[in-house]
Amino acid sequence: RTLARPLGRAALDLGTRALLPTEALEVPGLVLAGRLTAHNDAITQLDASLLGHHLAGAASDVTAWPEFHNGVAAGLRMSAAGSQLSPAWIVYNKPKTATWEHAGVLMALGLSGHLRELSGLDVFGYLHQEHDATSVAVLLGLGAAHAASCDEEVARSMFVHMPGRHPQSYPEIELSLSVQAAAVVGA
């Protein structure tokens, strides 16, 4: 239940914050603390790294999608009316290593139409990171931002990520099913 809070925060905070072009976007951290009413309201902190040594990568698997939705909630908090974010602002807020939270922010920027301003080179930079969540967010965000526009560059970006539609002479590309599904939905 705690990990589902970003979904509610996204609905509650939708478009409530005007962001300045020089201001960096802050994504609030996930709160994994809980109160135990049976133990005199003691507060306990969930440590996802202690889920078990036999589960490889369990900590990231438990918090990955909640972190993504936390990023979407932070991105949707920005008011889309009257403020068009520049491509430089979007690239400036890109972290050094791809994260699930930043992928969620990219998804929110696409849903609010801000990814429409990105150049093909910037889109390639995000897709070239080989981070599935970032690729899914960029493809779905581009599809949402360019809905019903018949933009050829966006169509090519989607086509490259659909190996089933490639001709026989096309080089084989290894893509996860989630990225392929995002390309089909975004097309």
Side-chain angles (χ1 to χ4, degrees), residues 56-128:
S60 64
D61 288 346
V62 169
T63 60
W65 284 109
E67 286 175 6
F68 180 85
H69 294 301
N70 192 34
V72 172
L76 288 177
R77 184 175 46 183
M78 293 184 298
S79 176
S83 66
Q84 190 62 24
L85 298 177
S86 69
W89 183 90
I90 296 171
V91 174
Y92 171 75
N93 281 289
K94 179 180 176 182
K96 299 214 183 301
T97 59
T99 63
W100 284 80
E101 283 182 348
H102 185 68
V105 169
L106 289 173
M107 177 70 180
L109 292 175
L111 290 173
S112 59
H114 294 300
L115 285 188
R116 186 178 298 119
E117 304 301 320
L118 280 182
S119 69
L121 188 60
D122 292 334
V123 171
F124 177 77
Y126 279 113
L127 294 175
H128 189 65

Side-chain angles (χ1 to χ4, degrees), residues 10 19 38 45 53 55 59 65 75 85 90 107-109 119 124 153 165-166 175 185:
L19 192 66
Q45 179 69 26
H53 64 283
L55 300 173
W65 284 109
L85 298 177
I90 296 171
M107 177 70 180
L109 292 175
S119 69
F124 177 77
E153 193 170 328
R165 306 246 353 227
H166 294 170
L175 296 170
V185 171

Side-chain angles (χ1 to χ4, degrees), residues 118-181:
L118 280 182
S119 69
L121 188 60
D122 292 334
V123 171
F124 177 77
Y126 279 113
L127 294 175
H128 189 65
Q129 290 180 345
E130 295 182 6
H131 185 251
D132 281 351
T134 301
S135 297
V136 166
V138 168
L139 291 172
L140 289 176
L142 282 174
H146 292 277
S149 69
C150 297
D151 189 325
E152 289 182 24
E153 193 170 328
V154 173
R156 274 189 299 239
S157 296
M158 301 297 173
F159 177 78
V160 167
H161 292 86
M162 293 185 229
R165 306 246 353 227
H166 294 170
Q168 293 291 337
S169 61
Y170 209 78
E172 190 170 322
I173 300 174
E174 292 290 328
L175 296 170
S176 71
L177 291 176
S178 59
V179 173
Q180 292 179 38

